[in-house]
Amino acid sequence: MIRFENVTKRYADGTVAVEGLSFEVAEGELVTLVGPSGCGKTTTMKMVNRLIEPTEGRILVDGADIAGVEPVELRRRMGYVIQQTGLFPHRTVLDNTATVPHLLGWPKARRRERARELLDLVGLDPSVYGDRYPDQLSGGQRQRVGVARALAADPPVLLMDEPFGAVDPVVREHLQNEFLRLQSRLHKTVLFVTHDIEEAVRLGDRIAVYGEGRIEQFDRPASVLGAPASPYVADFVGADRGLKRLSVTPIEHGDLEEPPTVHLSDRLDKAAERMASSGARWAVVLDDADELHGWVSAGVVAGAGQESGTVGDHARRMEAWLPLGSSLKQAFSTMLQHDAGWIAVLDSADRFVGVLTPARLHAALRRSVGADARDLDREQVALESIEDS
Ligand SMILES: Nc1ncnc2c1ncn2[C@@H]1O[C@H](COP(=O)(O)OP(=O)(O)O)[C@@H](O)[C@H]1O
Ligand SMILES: [Mg+2]
């Protein structure tokens, strides 16, 4: 969708902002550009909508060299969000949001309707905020208006330059979550600039880690954190990259253990038989709708084997559970919160699929490096993960 081919930008004073840049952003993909101040992120971004022209190389959008596309026409296809939002101070929130539809000559009723719809989409009630002016909003609210405005004409591409950089950490996390939710519905092709590695790994399908004027590594967040391509990248992503990787690695089906399951209404002697044959020390207990109830220990069941009761008489409740796809960080935090040696994992229909143990969590973290896909030496990865954890 967006393709950089050997792009170099040298400014008039001789500063080489980026050199020999080649990478591609797929349609519907969110790529974050991350690196320290002055490494060329903004320059990269502004070349995509021709606010800056490359000195060498070319940039293709949808297969066409943008050097041959009128800037106005090009920008119509690209929403642009910057840190200072660039809202017009003397225009209302509604009018600011409708800026591009206005430029495109949409009739007034239609553009106001579109602006209301978008404010709603970014979590601002248009009947409350629509008639305010930008200085009557908080920083976080202004950023939301900035995002709404960029989306107004439904462009396929979004260029975002440190859009959440100026708001406090709590609001930023909130905006990030909302943006992720929005993106999962809209599937825009997004180039997102940030100097914050946490933000980059949290949002990016892939991230480009910049050194001075060049990309040092371009890969999925878990791979960058798990197998940094150079000492520079390892240093940039931080000594706690193992921990960061927890938050970008989802729980997958293959990570789970499958202990025996018994039902609340099962007779104890039957349950004891089942558990003895599997050799497990405990079993997961499901209710009659096959939903998670809790667990029961093999010892208790065997000891009570002579009674005529049911599993339900001895089962304990299990509160530590998560849906598949939750992050390993959530899993770890849930284990700590409930002081549990394992957590139950449910599918999207709340059916029990398996349990995650600390050992499986560690194995999942190693999987996340994508060793096979990247053809890395297994031993090397094992060492990595020993160092990390
Ligand atoms: N108009 C300009 N003229 C000369 N140098 C510039 C200009 N704009 C940016 N630079 C320089 O180019 C380098 C990259 O800048 P920039 O792309 O803004 O970095 P970032 O967004 O990563 O902080 C920096 O050294 C910066 O000082
Ligand atoms: Mg910048």
Side-chain angles (χ1 to χ4, degrees):
M1 176 81 187
I2 303 174
R3 184 181 165 89
F4 276 69
E5 287 181 356
N6 227 354
V7 173
T8 294
K9 174 62 190 180
R10 195 174 303 108
Y11 284 108
D13 65 358
T15 307
V16 178
V18 295
E19 190 168 20
L21 214 56
S22 295
F23 68 97
E24 195 166 344
V25 185
E27 188 171 343
E29 189 181 29
L30 197 170
V31 167
T32 49
L33 309 182
V34 64
S37 178
C39 66
K41 307 180 296 293
T42 294
T43 302
T44 304
M45 176 152 291
K46 285 184 170 172
M47 288 191 290
V48 179
N49 62 5
R50 296 195 63 185
L51 286 171
I52 294 176
E53 299 292 340
T55 320
E56 283 164 41
R58 48 179 211 156
I59 300 165
L60 302 134
V61 172
D62 268 341
D65 187 341
I66 60 169
V69 183
E70 275 298 313
V72 174
E73 155 62 23
L74 188 67
R75 286 169 208 160
R76 206 166 279 177
R77 290 188 270 149
M78 298 177 177
Y80 189 42
V81 191
I82 53 174
Q83 190 179 113
Q84 305 79 3
T85 68
L87 298 179
F88 301 111
H90 55 281
R91 287 196 199 155
T92 64
V93 164
L94 215 51
D95 286 342
N96 264 291
T97 307
T99 302
V100 178
H102 188 94
L103 289 174
L104 295 176
W106 293 18
K108 185 164 183 181
R110 181 166 163 228
R111 62 183 196 245
R112 286 185 79 82
E113 189 195 315
R114 176 69 177 155
R116 289 177 177 281
E117 187 184 309
L118 280 156
L119 288 172
D120 243 346
L121 191 70
V122 299
L124 291 175
D125 182 347
S127 62
V128 176
Y129 298 101
D131 294 328
R132 291 201 191 174
Y133 290 88
D135 66 0
Q136 296 170 317
L137 300 178
S138 71
Q141 289 166 339
R142 275 198 293 272
Q143 289 306 134
R144 286 178 199 198
V145 178
V147 172
R149 186 179 57 173
L151 290 168
D154 201 20
V157 174
L158 275 185
L159 305 177
M160 307 180 79
D161 194 345
E162 312 226 13
F164 310 142
V167 294
D168 68 68
V170 176
V171 175
R172 187 182 317 161
E173 190 168 334
H174 210 77
L175 290 172
Q176 288 168 351
N177 286 339
E178 287 181 359
F179 182 65
L180 280 176
R181 208 172 319 131
L182 206 59
Q183 170 66 357
S184 72
R185 276 174 60 189
L186 301 178
H187 304 290
K188 300 289 176 189
T189 303
V190 187
L191 209 51
F192 189 110
V193 163
T194 175
H195 61 266
D196 175 3
I197 181 68
E198 306 268 357
E199 181 165 81
V201 298
R202 191 131 190 266
L203 298 183
D205 296 316
R206 287 190 294 167
I207 75 178
V209 182
Y210 272 62
E212 216 172 290
R214 52 178 66 248
I215 293 176
E216 298 276 334
Q217 188 167 9
F218 186 52
D219 211 333
R220 291 174 304 112
S223 300
V224 172
L225 295 172
S230 65
Y232 169 86
V233 176
D235 188 48
F236 184 74
V237 299
D240 63 342
R241 62 197 159 86
L243 277 177
K244 290 194 183 99
R245 210 159 85 225
L246 284 174
S247 61
V248 298
T249 309
I251 303 171
E252 291 178 3
H253 206 146
D255 299 327
L256 304 179
E257 272 186 50
E258 289 174 16
T261 55
V262 294
H263 282 87
L264 278 173
S265 56
D266 287 350
R267 276 178 35 202
L268 279 172
D269 50 354
K270 286 267 191 271
E273 238 170 72
R274 286 265 303 282
M275 292 173 70
S277 70
S278 73
R281 286 181 295 120
W282 47 271
V284 168
V285 178
L286 305 179
D287 66 18
D288 293 333
D290 269 349
E291 285 181 8
L292 178 72
H293 175 85
W295 61 282
V296 67
S297 96
V300 166
V301 171
Q306 309 309 321
E307 300 173 21
S308 56
T310 63
V311 168
D313 302 334
H314 299 274
R316 314 265 300 262
R317 290 297 298 215
M318 180 61 175
E319 307 290 349
W321 59 269
L322 283 175
L324 264 181
S326 305
S327 70
L328 296 182
K329 181 179 173 182
Q330 282 172 295
F332 190 42
S333 135
T334 304
M335 278 178 201
L336 293 177
Q337 187 191 333
H338 293 273
D339 195 18
W342 55 275
I343 58 166
V345 178
L346 311 184
D347 69 10
S348 56
D350 279 347
R351 277 183 307 255
F352 170 78
V353 277
V355 305
L356 191 72
T357 59
R360 289 303 184 94
L361 190 147
H362 181 235
L365 201 54
R366 286 171 60 182
R367 159 183 66 74
S368 76
V369 179
D372 292 339
R374 291 161 52 77
D375 224 24
L376 286 179
D377 193 333
R378 280 220 155 265
E379 266 171 0
Q380 195 183 326
V381 176
L383 274 179
E384 269 287 335
S385 73
I386 288 166
E387 277 171 16
D388 278 355
S389 46

